[in-house]
Amino acid sequence: MRVKLTLSGLKNKAVPRDHFHQLSGLIYAMIQKANPDYSKWLHDEGFLDGSKSFKFFCFSKLIPEKNAYIKAGDNGEMIVFTKDIAALYISSPVREIMQHLVDFLLLNREIRILNHNLVIQNAFASTESFESEEELFKCITPIVLSTRNDEHKTPFYLRAYQDPAQFGEFLTKNAREKFRVFSGRESSVSIVVDGEYVEKVGRKSNIRINIVDDIEVFGSVVPVKISGTGEEIAFLYDTGLGEKNSLGMGMIEIAGKRF
């Protein structure tokens, strides 16, 4: 399920260019108002698989109207909205998460992001079903994948432009693991990066994202083809691709569809 929020009150307001951490906190706060115990469980534990924890939700950045913002700050690290309206998408395959968000939206018409009070003008919920066994998607937010090796003490973030085939293999492994944890069943879903696109844009597909102070990750904005059952494709559409979905990474949309 996916919810689109239309927010107003943004004109002349400034937010960090990478405001994923703030939006993640907002989503937990919305769930917390509807069900404090569930919000705490989701934040502190989530869906466990050994030492790994999955939250199974994803979201976009604040999406302004076309060209309705300017960059500010020495390195463009802030954005200032020049019009009043922006959209925010939130999605999850977990019924309880979306139900608690809907419960919040039924009783509240304002939210607070950073120091800004914004009005929820409307909220539209939708579900997407997939009958085809493969579908082409574009990125709303960057796809993050990492690996560890002896040469790096910290996670090494994979870049799709460096090795599209390897990026697709890691993406497939991650998708199958998430589906198994969520459903309790094995998956044969596979994901392939659009190699022609990557060859054309090269390093421009690589995005540096500042999550919080002194914590940066690297993600790739590339088209991907997902092959699998309709259930598997819908699950990935709702939960996001790659890692750090609960920080907004890896949200996708059907290629050619506006968002």
Side-chain angles (χ1 to χ4, degrees):
M1 184 178 182
R2 182 165 292 193
V3 171
K4 176 186 178 182
L5 304 182
T6 302
L7 307 174
S8 64
L10 281 158
K11 188 174 182 179
N12 298 324
K13 302 291 197 311
V15 300
R17 178 193 59 212
D18 300 330
H19 47 276
F20 295 105
H21 184 259
Q22 291 86 348
L23 291 178
S24 181
L26 168 67
I27 293 168
Y28 281 114
M30 292 165 72
I31 297 173
Q32 193 272 339
K33 277 202 169 184
N35 189 317
D37 291 338
Y38 190 87
S39 179
K40 178 176 174 54
W41 169 81
L42 184 64
H43 182 275
D44 295 346
E45 297 182 41
F47 299 83
L48 298 176
D49 182 41
S51 61
K52 293 184 179 181
S53 173
F54 298 90
K55 312 302 183 182
F56 293 131
F57 71 86
C58 196
F59 56 90
S60 69
K61 294 169 69 172
L62 292 174
I63 302 174
E65 298 177 25
K66 187 175 182 180
N67 300 322
Y69 71 96
I70 58 174
K71 295 181 180 180
D74 294 337
N75 299 305
E77 70 274 10
M78 301 292 290
I79 60 173
V80 180
F81 294 90
T82 58
K83 292 187 179 181
D84 204 45
I85 302 296
L88 171 64
Y89 292 84
I90 307 170
S91 69
S92 175
V94 181
R95 183 185 63 80
E96 290 84 357
I97 292 176
M98 299 309 294
Q99 184 60 59
H100 294 321
L101 287 174
V102 169
D103 290 344
F104 171 88
L105 294 169
L106 289 173
L107 297 175
N108 297 272
R109 282 295 173 263
E110 290 189 359
I111 58 173
R112 187 172 178 85
I113 300 176
L114 294 169
N115 296 318
H116 309 317
N117 292 319
L118 306 180
V119 175
I120 304 170
Q121 283 204 335
N122 58 62
F124 177 75
S126 63
T127 57
E128 195 75 50
S129 59
F130 298 91
E131 297 180 3
S132 173
E133 293 185 351
E134 64 179 35
E135 191 73 53
L136 183 64
F137 293 93
K138 59 186 176 182
C139 289
I140 297 179
T141 60
I143 301 170
V144 172
L145 286 171
S146 66
T147 185
R148 291 183 180 271
N149 57 45
D150 295 337
E151 296 179 5
H152 300 87
K153 294 182 180 179
T154 57
F156 175 75
Y157 291 100
L158 303 178
R159 281 80 162 170
Y161 77 90
Q162 292 178 333
D163 191 336
Q166 182 194 52
F167 196 86
E169 290 172 5
F170 273 77
L171 204 50
T172 295
K173 180 180 178 181
N174 174 273
R176 292 178 179 179
E177 179 182 26
K178 286 192 292 194
F179 186 81
R180 175 181 56 78
V181 174
F182 177 76
S183 69
R185 292 177 277 121
E186 297 297 326
S187 169
S188 59
V189 69
S190 65
I191 304 175
V192 177
V193 174
D194 185 336
E196 291 185 6
Y197 176 88
V198 172
E199 184 177 355
K200 180 173 67 174
V201 303
R203 296 175 65 96
K204 292 181 180 179
S205 65
N206 183 51
I207 306 294
R208 184 195 300 262
I209 307 109
N210 179 256
I211 299 296
V212 293
D213 292 342
D214 300 324
I215 298 180
E216 290 184 329
V217 302
F218 292 87
S220 297
V221 176
V222 291
V224 298
K225 182 174 70 175
I226 303 179
S227 301
T229 65
E231 180 187 6
E232 291 168 331
I233 295 173
F235 166 76
L236 294 172
Y237 177 80
D238 285 337
T239 200
L241 300 183
E243 303 169 8
K244 302 188 184 302
N245 304 136
S246 62
L247 283 169
M249 301 295 102
M251 190 173 223
I252 56 174
E253 184 55 271
I254 301 168
K257 183 176 179 180
R258 296 188 63 184
F259 61 87

